[in-house]
């Protein structure tokens, strides 16, 4: 069965600093991979997704993620964090044609001003 | 982007009663909707896949008689928690698939907080 691991429960960074959120997955086939952000009172918002092709994926809000098959990883990065990026971030793998999502446990990002 | 709403956003009910949660895609039609459950400080767990005009497909371990799902139109899916008990208290989130392919995007509702007393 598929699974997603986000090893960091909480991360605190200073505004303007770079960010990397880790995600490792377990899935027997080529995965569909996603990063979502969840802010209080709002639905999960898709930041980016990977299905095939270029392993470096650009998303919204200046985020990018790199698919590394050899490491079963799909880490999310941002070169300069803004205070508004404080939220919970979820990595997910899609199976069953890509639509059935299995989520990681999330990483809570705090941004210090 | 596309918008998905949920109603109510928060509900408190007595043990033994039933609660209905609505999920609507506001500006697109969704053949497929999904229902998730999120416990505090935990991940989202897929409960079921709801397809318009057909029976929902439940994930292993989810009681289909307790969590009734109806997808009566291309913009509305409902989740009814029947005979609710305190252990059913949770955050329920729906999503709607804009399209039919695996590469299409799921749009998520803001969630419904259910508290069973």
């Amino acid at each position: 069965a598929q699974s997603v691991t986000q090893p960091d429960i909480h991360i605190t960074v200073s505004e303007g600093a770079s960010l990397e959120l880790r995600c490792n997955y377990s899935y027997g086939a080529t995965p569909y991979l996603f990063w979502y952000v969840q802010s209080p009172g709002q639905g999960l918002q898709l930041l980016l997704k990977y299905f095939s092709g270029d392993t470096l994926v650009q998303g919204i809000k200046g985020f990018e993620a790199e698919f590394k098959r050899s490491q079963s990883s799909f880490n999310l990065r941002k070169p300069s964090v803004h205070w508004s990026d404080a939220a919970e971030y979820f990595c997910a793998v899609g199976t069953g044609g890509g639509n059935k999502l299995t989520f990681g446990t999330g990483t809570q990002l705090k941004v210090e001003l | 982007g596309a918008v998905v709403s949920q109603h109510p956003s928060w509900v408190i009910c007595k043990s033994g009663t039933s609660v209905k949660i609505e999920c609507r895609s506001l500006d697109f039609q969704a053949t497929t909707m999904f229902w998730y459950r999120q416990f505090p400080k935990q991940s989202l767990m897929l409960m079921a896949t709801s397809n318009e005009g057909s029976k929902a497909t439940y994930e292993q371990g989810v009681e289909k008689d307790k969590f009734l799902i109806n997808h009566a139109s291309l913009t509305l899916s409902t989740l009814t928690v029947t005979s609710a008990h305190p252990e059913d208290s949770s955050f329920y989130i729906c999503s709607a698939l804009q399209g039919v392919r695996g590469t299409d995007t799921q749009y998520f509702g803001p969630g419904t907080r259910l508290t069973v007393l």
Side-chain angles (χ1 to χ4, degrees), chain A residues 3-8 20-25 33-35 66 68 71-76 90-93 102 104 107:
Chain A
S3 66
V4 178
T5 302
Q6 293 181 246
D8 304 304
E20 182 169 29
L21 302 182
R22 296 183 291 165
C23 172
N24 292 95
Y25 69 90
L33 295 164
F34 306 80
W35 274 100
E66 186 171 12
K68 293 185 177 180
Q71 299 177 20
S72 297
S73 69
F74 189 57
N75 294 347
L76 181 71
F90 289 94
C91 180
V93 61
T102 298
T107 297

Side-chain angles (χ1 to χ4, degrees), chain B residues 8 11-12 17-18 36 41 44 46 66 70 73 75 78 80 90 93 99-100 103 106 109:
Chain B
V11 57
I12 301 174
T17 62
S18 296
Y36 296 83
K41 306 300 182 185
L44 286 78
L46 179 64
K66 166 166 276 297
N70 185 285
S73 77
T75 59
T78 59
T80 301
S90 192
I93 301 173
V100 295
T103 52
Q106 284 188 43

Side-chain angles (χ1 to χ4, degrees), chain A residues 24-68:
Chain A
N24 292 95
Y25 69 90
S26 174
Y27 184 54
T30 300
Y32 290 4
L33 295 164
F34 306 80
W35 274 100
Y36 284 87
V37 59
Q38 184 180 38
S39 299
Q42 300 182 29
L44 276 78
Q45 182 182 23
L46 179 67
L47 290 175
L48 46 80
K49 57 188 177 183
Y50 170 79
F51 298 132
S52 63
D54 192 348
T55 56
L56 185 62
V57 181
Q58 301 297 321
I60 62 171
K61 302 184 179 184
F63 286 93
E64 67 176 27
E66 186 171 12
F67 170 58
K68 293 185 177 180

